[in-house]
Amino acid sequence: MVVRPPDGESVCTTAGGRVQIGLMSPVFKGVVLMIPRLNIGVVGGSIGGLFAAALLTQDGHRVTVFERSKTGLARRGAGLVAQQELFDLLHLVGRDVDARIGVVAYERITLDRNGVVAYRDPTPQTQLSWDHLYEVFRSLVPAEQYRLGQTVRAVSSTDDFASVQFVDGSALHFDVVIGADGVNSVTRPTVAPTDHTNTYVGYSTWRGLIPEGALPDLARKILLDRFGFFTGPRSHMLGYLVPGPGGEIEHGSRRYNWVWYRTLQSTDLAVVMARSGKPVGSVSLAPGDLPNDLRHDLVRAAELELPRAFAEAVSAEPAPFLQAIIDYVPPHMTRQRIALLGDAAVVVRPHTAMGAAKAAGDAMSLATLLDQLPPSQALARYEDERLPVGRAIADYGRRLGMSLPFAR
């Protein structure tokens, strides 16, 4: 590998493939201090993995991302409530301009069952687009470092290196492996072999993401430019505008994102997954996975349970998707040369609106520490810093969940 160093630096590549940048000492001329750059594997190419990959690549590490999807993850997400960690991360990678690509809800409203605004809060709130955030960070990782169609079977580690094993029987070795492969992580069992199982909490979110122009007149009048809520005996509904798929924020080009929390017993969840052609143990459906007859059932339920404006938003979504709500907090986030990040590490409930922000915080902490300390010390410090944060957010999410009538 050929690396062009900045002025005043020299570069060599060790036999193991590790890149080292030598900083020329201004005092001892001719003496070179070698600061090791690491060979890092990232399992999972969603936004958490991309957050880490972009930062580590920017720091000069050799990073390879392995994503099992053959086509990529564009258009897989929905809306995100803006949190400071996301703005901090965008600043670190030089993309402050993208922090301004959001839609502001100028007030928060709560509807009663008849669709009347029962409560108003004038506090404004900014919403971002998962799609746009994904595209920003995908663009910061060189194409050859982002490998699609790479299904990881397992990971392993010694005190000196970590390995990634693929389903085809091949394996690659790295100085550090980061598990950013979500709630069904294949890296998690290696880090927490006796405690790596998710706990389903008994309710799920149905979601939709539609062009604002697809909303009927009543729904547009009541819901647009507001952050709307409704809580009933069996469900909790919320919705807000996000930028268009390409980051558009002009009126008419935005999208409406709705999130409908509903009770769904584990047996019923299994039936939905089976009828949607998903493997046993699946906990989510992507847009287009849900059969038409189950979508019609969802629309009918919305008409019975929700205020009319929200029911119209559900009906306007041709391909609703599903996310089961689960809890998981690990005993550890690291083991030898492996670190967990984002949902692979700690799963927090969507009520917190902090899942992406937590992943951003994980990525910033891990990248900073790997730039300052040897890997074993960096990973130990990373766990000390981020596991308490993840636990606190998870606890907060459980408390919010308990406030819902159907979760008591």
Side-chain angles (χ1 to χ4, degrees):
M1 182 173 61
V2 178
V3 181
R4 183 179 298 278
D7 293 342
E9 298 181 356
S10 62
V11 170
C12 71
T13 303
T14 67
R18 177 181 295 180
V19 179
Q20 294 186 318
I21 300 178
L23 301 181
M24 296 298 296
S25 169
V27 177
F28 303 102
K29 293 183 178 180
V31 176
V32 178
L33 173 64
M34 303 308 294
I35 299 177
R37 302 290 86 182
L38 303 170
N39 186 18
I40 299 174
V42 178
V43 181
S46 190
I47 58 173
L50 286 173
F51 290 164
L55 288 171
L56 292 163
T57 299
Q58 180 176 268
D59 289 341
H61 300 288
R62 181 180 178 181
V63 182
T64 308
V65 180
F66 302 104
E67 168 52 46
R68 67 180 179 179
S69 168
K70 295 180 180 180
T71 59
L73 301 175
R75 308 294 185 262
R76 293 289 186 92
L80 296 172
V81 177
Q83 304 284 358
Q84 187 59 47
E85 289 88 345
L86 295 175
F87 296 136
D88 293 343
L89 180 60
L90 287 165
H91 177 71
L92 284 176
V93 296
R95 299 295 291 261
D96 292 280
V97 64
D98 292 289
R100 297 191 290 273
I101 299 179
V103 177
V104 177
Y106 292 99
E107 66 173 345
R108 298 161 69 93
I109 61 169
T110 299
L111 302 180
D112 66 15
R113 179 62 184 84
N114 295 319
V116 175
V117 177
Y119 175 78
R120 297 178 186 270
D121 177 356
T123 304
Q125 184 167 294
T126 301
Q127 293 78 237
L128 307 177
S129 164
W130 189 98
D131 294 335
H132 183 67
L133 202 62
Y134 171 85
E135 294 292 354
V136 167
F137 283 89
R138 179 67 186 82
S139 72
L140 298 175
V141 178
E144 66 274 13
Q145 293 174 221
Y146 190 91
R147 301 185 183 180
L148 292 170
Q150 299 287 298
T151 302
V152 175
R153 177 177 59 82
V155 299
S156 61
S157 182
T158 70
D159 290 335
D160 300 316
F161 65 91
S163 301
V164 176
Q165 293 96 42
F166 301 92
V167 293
D168 64 2
S170 63
L172 292 172
H173 307 298
F174 299 91
D175 295 311
V176 172
V177 166
I178 299 171
D181 47 341
V183 297
N184 289 322
S185 169
V186 299
T187 57
R188 188 194 290 168
T190 301
V191 174
T194 63
D195 186 6
H196 56 80
T197 305
N198 299 315
T199 300
Y200 177 55
V201 303
Y203 61 95
S204 299
T205 60
W206 293 95
R207 307 193 67 155
L209 187 64
I210 53 180
E212 61 178 306
L215 287 174
D217 290 342
L218 175 70
R220 284 202 302 270
K221 180 179 179 181
I222 294 176
L223 300 177
L224 294 190
D225 298 306
R226 292 162 156 174
F227 201 119
F229 295 91
F230 167 74
T231 300
R234 298 186 61 245
S235 61
H236 176 65
M237 183 73 166
L238 60 95
Y240 49 85
L241 283 167
V242 300
E248 301 89 350
I249 58 175
E250 300 82 11
H251 285 258
S253 300
R254 305 166 299 178
R255 295 172 296 172
Y256 189 73
N257 175 75
W258 57 260
V259 183
W260 186 10
Y261 294 88
R262 299 190 74 210
T263 54
L264 190 65
Q265 298 304 314
S266 57
T267 52
D268 296 325
L269 175 64
V271 168
V272 170
M273 293 298 158
R275 291 181 61 184
S276 301
K278 294 297 180 180
V280 174
S282 296
V283 294
S284 64
L285 298 176
D289 286 345
L290 189 71
N292 280 334
D293 60 330
L294 293 184
R295 175 187 170 270
H296 292 320
D297 290 345
L298 189 70
V299 170
R300 286 195 293 270
E303 293 170 350
L304 292 172
E305 298 177 27
L306 301 177
R308 181 181 166 189
F310 277 135
E312 289 182 346
V314 173
S315 180
E317 172 55 79
F321 44 111
L322 174 68
Q323 175 188 2
I325 306 303
I326 60 177
D327 289 334
Y328 176 74
V329 178
H332 301 285
M333 285 177 63
T334 65
R335 182 182 178 91
Q336 294 176 309
R337 294 298 186 97
I338 301 171
L340 300 177
L341 182 149
D343 286 345
V346 179
V347 182
V348 300
R349 300 193 192 186
H351 316 301
T352 66
M354 296 178 70
K358 181 179 69 66
D362 289 349
M364 290 186 287
S365 173
L366 185 56
T368 298
L369 291 167
L370 286 172
D371 205 43
Q372 296 174 346
L373 298 170
S376 58
Q377 295 179 33
L379 267 58
R381 184 78 63 82
Y382 169 68
E383 179 175 305
D384 289 344
E385 287 187 2
R386 296 303 299 175
L387 186 51
V389 173
R391 283 175 176 157
I393 299 172
D395 288 344
Y396 174 55
R398 282 191 288 268
R399 291 195 300 273
L400 291 175
M402 289 300 295
S403 70
L404 299 175
F406 56 83
R408 292 174 181 171

